[in-house]
Amino acid sequence: MNVTQTAFRQAVLDPARPAPDGLRDPQGGPAGRRFDVYRNNVVAGLSDALEVAFPVLRRLLGEGFFRAMAGLFARAHPPASPLMMHYGAQMPDFLAGFAPVAHLPYLPDIARLELALRRSYHAADAAPVAPDALAVIAPERLPDLRITLAPAVQLLGSDWPIHAIWRANTGAGGPAPVNRPEAVLIARKALDPSLHLIAASDLAVLRGLAEGRTLGEALDLGGDAHDPGPVLGLLLAQGAIAALT
Amino acid sequence: MFDRLPDTALPPLPGVGYKPQHYRAIMEDAGPIGWLEVHAENYMGDGGRPLAQLRHLAERFPISVHGVGLSIGGEGPLDAGHLARLKHLLGWLQPASFSEHLAWSTHDTQFLNDLLPLPYTKATVQRVSDHIDQVQEVLGRRMLLENPSSYLAFAESEMTETDFLRAVAGRAGCGLLLDVNNVFVSATNLGTSPAAYIDAFPLDLVGEMHLGGHDEQTDDAGAPLLIDSHGKPVVDPVWALLDYTLARSGPRPVLIEWDNDVPDWPVLAQEAALAGRALARVAG
């Protein structure tokens, strides 16, 4: 009786299935608990990876709940690639449809934030422009300028106070979360990503820049009352601009 | 066959599996460590701290790249995209050694992040050696293939693991990585003799050895079932098996693998020092 890898995988991921025929203990009997070693290794290994990837989710949900949820996620969404650094991309959608956390509607955006931090951590290195790079450009040239954001920059807006929740659950301190929309910029000045609260109008401008619009076009997205000074200063201070063209 | 390039350039000294939390300690005082091993897949991002650390480490230490995601024992074709990423990493890093596992982890497009077993048959000898042939051709270097930890046997198997590895290495022209803890774990789990396994192993092909800790459980019948967990010190019978092996093979690069519940650096360095003493006992 030959054991195909299809049968092996199905049984590893589904504890309701018996171990495939053709797997033996040393006496020639059925593999029994010996097959469970692989089941446990696969689910525990994937759950460990999710625990490392989503430390704030784990803190919000508690270890026991998180591990149980991670096991369900792992069986439903095994990795699609050996690059475990990218594992968990379906977590926001999974949480949005996971009835036991329906009363915590901000969780999918916390998952998106943790995914964005991980993308930033592994993003390509890029030498930033000098802190005075914008100041030395003639004012009449600014509207046509294109600002290339560094590869480690990530942008995220939410209907929930994701910045305050993240800070409160990572020991970063700050005020207690209040129920309001928040937007964040993630930058990586050296090797560690950092999280910065920005206004919704800032987010609109930065998304415009990320899409390749000119500075003038992007600023229009921020609305008439938007003062671009602080967010442009933040980009420069955080090494978040890779090129000006 | 692939016999153009050397086997391993690792020194016959203790090494450890590199963990980022040990970066500073290693750079300040590496103690008995003569080389480091990294998991290939952790260094396939585009940039940032992992690659920056690896560049610094590679200036100071010979590096062994150990893949955990190639699925060489897979029924399907190798993942060409993953092989290309591996070629890129080995290209810029130029490590002293590259090794992978006798196992499968990917099926269709799903990666299960574990080292899953395969039956030892003529057909799997052919498949595994064809895959290794492809890997060595793409990478332009010889690789080492590691013996697995076994928890069960396949009814369809036609040969022993040592005969299987000898056949694959002969056909593909690869070297072997001998995990001494895996030998002990598999022999205990399958009721065979670890010393007899070493006696039957083609030690002349071994470019590196691994040691690690394991957990102890029991199967349905109450028989011992050891789990290769890499989360504890190496146990005394495995140290004894290392001595038995080195007495027959001569000095080889010996790695301590500690991947779970990773201890502070002094504890890991102490394990490596024990490996260093075992090597010193057989040094000419």
Side-chain angles (χ1 to χ4, degrees):
Chain A
M1 176 75 201
N2 292 358
V3 180
T4 65
Q5 291 180 357
T6 298
F8 199 105
R9 175 191 55 182
Q10 282 174 337
V12 157
L13 291 176
D14 183 356
R17 285 175 187 264
D21 281 346
L23 301 178
R24 297 283 181 262
D25 75 4
Q27 281 71 46
R33 264 165 76 174
R34 291 162 176 270
F35 185 75
D36 293 343
V37 175
Y38 296 104
R39 284 185 166 132
N40 294 340
N41 283 351
V42 167
V43 174
L46 295 177
S47 299
D48 288 348
L50 293 168
E51 209 167 334
V52 170
F54 298 104
V56 173
L57 284 184
R58 181 191 172 284
R59 189 178 151 102
L60 288 166
L61 294 171
E63 181 175 8
F65 189 99
F66 183 90
R67 295 289 301 192
M69 184 273 297
L72 293 172
F73 178 87
R75 289 188 176 98
H77 301 285
S81 146
L83 295 199
M84 291 300 289
M85 67 181 71
H86 299 319
Y87 184 46
Q90 306 98 329
M91 185 62 83
D93 290 342
F94 176 85
L95 289 169
F98 191 48
V101 296
H103 62 296
L104 304 172
Y106 51 83
L107 285 185
D109 282 349
I110 296 298
R112 286 185 184 96
L113 177 57
E114 298 206 278
L115 288 169
L117 283 163
R118 197 145 46 103
R119 283 196 296 274
S120 178
Y121 182 78
H122 290 289
D125 305 314
V129 301
D132 65 350
L134 280 174
V136 299
I137 291 174
E140 65 273 17
R141 281 195 51 221
L142 287 175
D144 293 329
L145 192 68
R146 282 180 210 275
I147 295 179
T148 305
L149 300 176
V153 169
Q154 297 282 324
L155 303 166
L156 187 63
S158 173
D159 291 338
W160 307 98
I162 53 173
H163 182 260
I165 292 170
W166 189 86
R167 285 187 65 92
N169 288 282
T170 53
V178 293
N179 199 350
R180 63 167 189 177
E182 284 184 349
V184 294
L185 161 75
I186 296 167
R188 198 182 83 201
K189 195 172 181 183
L191 297 173
D192 294 310
S194 58
L195 190 63
H196 306 271
L197 182 66
I198 57 175
S201 50
D202 294 331
L203 180 67
V205 171
L206 294 182
R207 282 189 171 148
L209 295 176
E211 288 162 7
R213 295 174 198 264
T214 65
L215 181 56
E217 291 164 351
L219 289 178
D220 288 343
L221 300 173
D224 292 340
H226 181 244
D227 172 8
V231 75
L232 292 177
L234 179 64
L235 291 180
L236 287 165
Q238 292 301 321
I241 300 177
L244 299 172
T245 49
Chain B
M1 280 295 280
F2 196 96
D3 51 12
R4 298 196 293 275
L5 285 165
D7 191 356
T8 176
L10 295 172
L13 295 169
V16 294
Y18 172 67
K19 298 292 160 196
Q21 57 265 47
H22 298 145
Y23 178 75
R24 267 183 201 198
I26 289 174
M27 290 302 256
E28 277 171 19
D29 178 9
I33 306 305
W35 54 283
L36 297 168
E37 185 158 285
V38 297
H39 286 181
E41 285 71 15
N42 292 342
Y43 299 90
M44 290 181 175
D46 294 325
R49 188 181 296 284
L51 296 184
Q53 283 193 347
L54 184 54
R55 281 193 295 270
H56 289 305
L57 292 168
E59 289 167 9
R60 292 267 299 273
F61 300 96
I63 303 289
S64 162
V65 172
H66 191 50
V68 297
L70 208 45
S71 198
I72 279 176
E75 283 171 3
L78 294 178
D79 178 343
H82 196 60
L83 202 44
R85 286 190 289 265
L86 201 53
K87 184 180 171 68
H88 174 74
L89 173 63
L90 300 189
W92 71 259
L93 184 60
Q94 293 294 317
S97 178
F98 170 67
S99 53
E100 252 282 0
H101 299 84
L102 176 61
W104 62 279
S105 51
T106 296
H107 187 61
D108 298 332
T109 59
Q110 286 183 344
F111 174 70
L112 296 175
N113 193 38
D114 192 25
L115 301 170
L116 301 169
L118 58 163
Y120 299 140
T121 65
K122 291 190 188 69
T124 48
V125 165
Q126 180 73 50
R127 187 171 83 220
V128 168
S129 48
D130 285 351
H131 282 167
I132 292 175
D133 209 33
Q134 183 187 355
V135 170
Q136 294 184 141
E137 285 298 327
V138 170
L139 300 181
R141 64 187 297 156
R142 199 170 173 215
M143 61 162 278
L144 306 178
L145 183 69
E146 179 176 352
N147 59 301
S149 275
S150 297
Y151 307 109
L152 46 74
F154 285 77
E156 67 200 271
S157 282
E158 301 163 350
M159 63 187 92
T160 63
E161 187 170 288
T162 47
D163 284 347
F164 184 90
L165 286 165
R166 191 187 295 273
V168 166
R171 195 181 282 251
C174 64
L176 297 172
L177 193 170
L178 176 59
D179 188 314
V180 178
N181 180 62
N182 288 356
V183 172
F184 184 79
V185 165
S186 296
T188 303
N189 290 343
L190 300 179
T192 58
S193 156
Y197 185 101
I198 297 298
D199 291 342
F201 202 87
L203 294 174
D204 53 319
L205 296 176
V206 172
E208 178 183 338
M209 295 182 189
H210 275 184
L211 291 174
H214 58 253
D215 291 340
E216 295 181 25
Q217 298 181 11
T218 52
D219 75 356
D220 301 277
L225 182 58
L226 304 184
I227 314 292
D228 179 35
S229 60
H230 296 180
K232 288 179 176 172
V234 178
V235 298
D236 286 343
V238 172
W239 285 118
L241 189 60
L242 176 69
D243 285 336
Y244 182 88
T245 307
L246 290 175
R248 284 151 183 79
S249 67
R252 290 288 197 281
V254 176
L255 182 90
I256 305 293
E257 288 186 299
W258 201 322
D259 296 320
N260 296 301
D261 298 325
V262 177
D264 289 341
W265 175 248
V267 174
L268 190 55
Q270 176 60 29
E271 286 283 280
L274 291 175
R277 263 178 247 161
L279 285 165
R281 286 195 284 274
V282 295

